[in-house]
Amino acid sequence: MILPSWAESFAERLGETVSAVEQVARHALGTTRVWRVKAESGREYAVKQHIYRAAQTRGGHDALETEAAVLTLLEEMRAPTPAVKAVDMEAGYLASEWIRGAALDDLAQRDPDAARKAAPKALAALEQIERALEARISETEPFAFDHDYDAYLGADFAHILTEARIGYNALCERVGAEPPAGNAEWEAVYAAIQNAQPTMGSLDYNARNLLITPSRAVYVDFSAVGWDWTERRLAHYLYALGARDPSGSFVCALTPEALEGVVFFEPSALEAHLFVFQCLTAERLLRGGLAPPADAENAHDQYWQNRMKRFEQTAQAVAYGALTDFEGTARLRSAAAEKIGEKR
């Protein structure tokens, strides 16, 4: 067995003999790698190696320093995150407990109903994390990613909203629907989002960073933290895209029933963010095309069939995927539903 370069340090720091190492993730840009490590003791660990180590925060910390500090703080606050077992700044890795569960993204592909049933504990877990970070905000702030947050949450988001509107209009054109005239609905969507309060938390929110076990939900990856909307985090964490499955489905684990009695976010802002995310998904699919070029080989047929399947799922979500009663998205969804309903 060929061991990674950090294995010797790992064995020394944890007093464990490594029996098996399996690489389970590699960042597309080569900045991180994650391994599942089995020790002869029977214990298992997740080891995340940070390749890119330049300072990236307001306090001059890099991604490894950020993740180690934030996870340690959250562990002290008994938040639902992996317990840190060892950190080696020289070797560039963090070892934490191995969470025996499934990423929500994978769970949703196997069993969409199970993913939806997990939503209440995922909501409760994120609330715990955000409350813990707020309670220790003076310690967390130096690890905030060095963004211009006024631009990130203002002008940058306005550009995202423009792309979502392009996606919505293109979807409507595709299904033969007529979008509402004017800007009132989109202005209401923007206002609902802007009126919500940004919170400290992870900036890498997706359904692969939410792990579901039989007893709890656990959030992972805190190498980049900063201010963003709780509602945007929820919309992205709980929307499975089947990222590792070429034939995967789009599944929203959030349901109106799961939100009943939950009060740590603004319902209209969550509905607005979810709608924007759904429209952005439509924009990406339509921009890339839903049909093969005339000279495409038959071997790619399944690829195009899957793109069409994902578009149809997205069209259904845009039309019928409302979480709350919010006038801003209601008319936009209804306009699409008028035509999509005819084809059901």
Side-chain angles (χ1 to χ4, degrees):
M1 178 177 60
I2 300 175
L3 296 177
S5 59
W6 46 260
E8 184 176 349
S9 165
F10 172 90
E12 292 175 354
R13 286 177 177 272
L14 280 88
E16 294 272 32
T17 300
V18 176
S19 62
V21 176
E22 173 192 3
Q23 187 169 319
V24 295
R26 181 185 180 118
H27 192 278
L29 298 178
T31 57
T32 57
R33 295 178 185 138
V34 181
W35 287 266
R36 180 179 185 176
V37 179
K38 296 182 181 180
E40 288 187 357
S41 64
R43 287 183 285 267
E44 292 184 292
Y45 303 87
V47 173
K48 183 175 182 180
Q49 186 178 29
H50 290 266
I51 311 299
Y52 181 73
R53 296 290 303 278
Q56 61 177 16
T57 76
R58 290 181 166 184
H61 303 287
D62 65 29
L64 175 57
E65 292 167 334
T66 297
E67 189 150 39
V70 173
L71 283 179
T72 298
L73 182 152
L74 288 168
E75 184 180 354
E76 291 172 1
M77 298 294 286
R78 300 182 181 275
T81 51
V84 176
K85 299 300 183 180
V87 181
D88 189 322
M89 292 297 171
E90 183 176 349
Y93 73 81
L94 181 150
S96 61
E97 65 173 317
W98 179 261
I99 304 298
R100 294 177 178 270
L104 182 84
D105 198 34
D106 295 333
L107 178 62
Q109 305 311 307
R110 299 196 306 266
D111 189 343
D113 286 339
R116 296 184 186 103
K117 289 177 182 176
K121 59 186 177 185
L123 290 165
L126 188 63
E127 182 177 15
Q128 280 184 266
I129 290 169
E130 294 206 339
R131 288 187 184 280
L133 293 175
E134 177 61 29
R136 304 278 290 274
I137 193 65
S138 62
E139 297 168 62
T140 310
E141 281 183 328
F143 296 96
F145 198 85
D146 192 18
H147 269 319
D148 176 348
Y149 286 96
D150 287 340
Y152 174 64
L153 300 171
D156 292 353
F157 184 77
H159 178 71
I160 290 173
L161 197 70
T162 297
E163 289 187 335
R165 188 169 183 175
I166 290 170
Y168 173 78
N169 290 339
L171 184 150
C172 286
E173 182 178 358
R174 174 90 188 185
V175 302
E178 185 68 32
N183 299 316
E185 288 78 16
W186 288 99
E187 288 173 353
V189 168
Y190 184 72
I193 288 169
Q194 291 295 319
N195 287 337
Q197 182 66 39
T199 57
M200 176 63 72
S202 174
L203 296 179
D204 190 0
Y205 33 76
N206 64 75
R208 298 212 62 78
N209 287 339
L210 168 55
L211 305 182
I212 305 299
T213 79
S215 60
R216 61 178 182 152
V218 179
Y219 288 86
V220 300
D221 200 335
F222 289 84
S223 57
V225 299
W227 285 273
D228 208 324
W229 295 288
T230 300
E231 296 82 2
R232 177 152 63 170
R233 291 191 182 100
L234 287 172
H236 287 243
Y237 271 131
L238 287 147
Y239 208 104
L241 298 176
R244 294 189 178 178
D245 184 354
S247 61
S249 296
F250 292 164
V251 179
C252 181
L254 289 169
T255 63
E257 294 74 23
L259 304 183
E260 292 179 2
V262 185
V263 296
F264 76 105
F265 58 85
E266 293 292 332
S268 60
L270 176 57
E271 162 64 8
H273 273 294
L274 182 65
F275 183 74
V276 167
F277 188 36
Q278 290 162 341
C279 291
L280 286 171
T281 303
E283 193 277 333
R284 304 293 188 269
L285 286 166
L286 289 166
R287 189 204 312 166
L290 298 178
D295 59 351
E297 297 179 9
N298 292 336
H300 296 103
D301 284 355
Q302 187 59 49
Y303 169 81
W304 295 105
Q305 290 172 16
N306 190 56
R307 285 186 68 84
M308 179 58 74
K309 179 190 78 171
R310 289 179 182 236
F311 173 75
E312 291 171 351
Q313 291 170 341
T314 300
Q316 293 287 329
V318 168
Y320 303 108
L323 291 174
T324 63
D325 293 327
F326 171 49
E327 188 175 352
T329 58
R331 287 195 63 203
L332 293 166
R333 291 188 186 278
S334 178
E338 287 181 7
K339 289 297 182 180
I340 292 172
E342 295 175 1
K343 302 176 182 180
R344 292 179 106 179

